[in-house]
């Protein structure tokens, strides 16, 4: 990712299978006379466990300011799983290269009383060639940039 370090430090990833995972304390015993490789492996597993525990704890605190989803899964199932962690009056944004999965999600969000200002837009960027005394669109511009579904999540009552 081409983000600055301060942004990368705030980003967290969590495997879908660990979403409702209960973390157990780290238990990894080194052999009686561990090699340097054993020690390095133990430290790597300990750091990984600590980072995963921190990520799950942060997720369970909830009340996030925004939820941005870009997935190959059905957007409706992902939204249903992750919206409880989203704070009230916060933005939900879902990106997909295809319109069809987002149309289904759009219809369900419009019918829901949990969401307001539901919008489905096409993202498209046209590059222009600027030369002295002439400006025109680049001739080989790609037309597809994907689709964005956005909505405001209302605070639970």
């Amino acid at each position: 990712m081409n983000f600055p370090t301060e942004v990368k430090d705030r980003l967290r990833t969590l495997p879908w299978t660990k979403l409702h995972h209960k973390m157990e304390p780290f238990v990894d015993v080194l052999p009686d006379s561990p090699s340097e490789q054993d020690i390095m492996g133990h430290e790597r597993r300990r750091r990984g466990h600590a980072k995963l525990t921190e990520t799950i704890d942060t997720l369970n605190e909830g009340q996030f300011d925004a939820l941005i989803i870009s997935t190959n899964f059905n957007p409706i199932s992902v939204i249903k799983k992750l919206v409880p962690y989203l704070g009230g009056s916060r933005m939900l944004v879902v990106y997909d290269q295809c319109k069809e999965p987002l149309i289904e999600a759009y219809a369900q969000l419009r019918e829901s009383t949990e969401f307001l200002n539901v919008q489905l837009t096409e993202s498209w960027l046209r590059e222009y060639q600027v030369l002295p005394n002439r400006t025109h669109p680049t001739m080989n511009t790609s037309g597809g940039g994907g689709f964005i579904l956005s909505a405001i999540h209302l605070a639970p009552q």
Side-chain angles (χ1 to χ4, degrees):
M1 290 184 278
N2 296 330
F3 293 117
T5 305
E6 60 270 5
V7 172
K8 279 196 248 184
D9 290 343
R10 297 188 65 175
L11 293 177
R12 299 283 187 261
T13 59
L14 185 65
W16 190 245
T17 57
K18 301 283 186 189
L19 188 61
H20 298 291
H21 187 70
K22 174 80 171 107
M23 290 299 292
E24 299 294 329
F26 181 70
V27 179
D28 187 22
V29 180
L30 284 169
D32 291 334
S33 48
S35 67
E36 186 176 325
Q37 190 174 11
D38 290 337
I39 294 170
M40 288 177 14
H42 174 79
E43 285 301 309
R44 186 185 72 246
R45 288 187 296 276
R46 186 190 55 74
R47 284 191 313 267
H49 183 273
K51 189 169 185 171
L52 181 59
T53 302
E54 179 187 352
T55 301
I56 289 174
D57 290 345
T58 302
L59 176 71
N60 289 330
E61 288 172 12
Q63 300 302 304
F64 288 100
D65 291 333
L67 176 58
I68 302 170
I69 300 170
S70 177
T71 181
N72 291 330
F73 293 113
N74 180 351
I76 289 294
S77 63
V78 176
I79 291 169
K80 285 180 181 177
K81 289 275 189 183
L82 296 179
V83 158
Y85 302 107
L86 185 61
S89 299
R90 303 296 191 227
M91 287 298 298
L92 165 70
V93 179
V94 184
Y95 170 82
D96 203 313
Q97 286 189 323
C98 301
K99 191 175 189 177
E100 290 74 19
L102 294 182
I103 290 174
E104 180 185 344
Y106 173 83
Q108 288 194 18
L109 293 181
R110 289 281 303 214
E111 293 174 8
S112 171
T113 58
E114 271 188 279
F115 294 95
L116 181 66
N117 195 23
V118 182
Q119 298 177 353
L120 181 59
T121 56
E122 181 178 5
S123 63
W124 192 65
L125 174 67
R126 172 174 262 175
E127 294 182 35
Y128 282 85
Q129 181 181 26
V130 179
L131 298 171
N133 299 324
R134 56 196 160 131
T135 300
H136 61 82
T138 305
M139 295 302 180
N140 58 357
T141 301
S142 170
F147 299 87
I148 297 173
L149 172 66
S150 62
I152 298 173
H153 178 246
L154 300 176
Q157 297 185 9

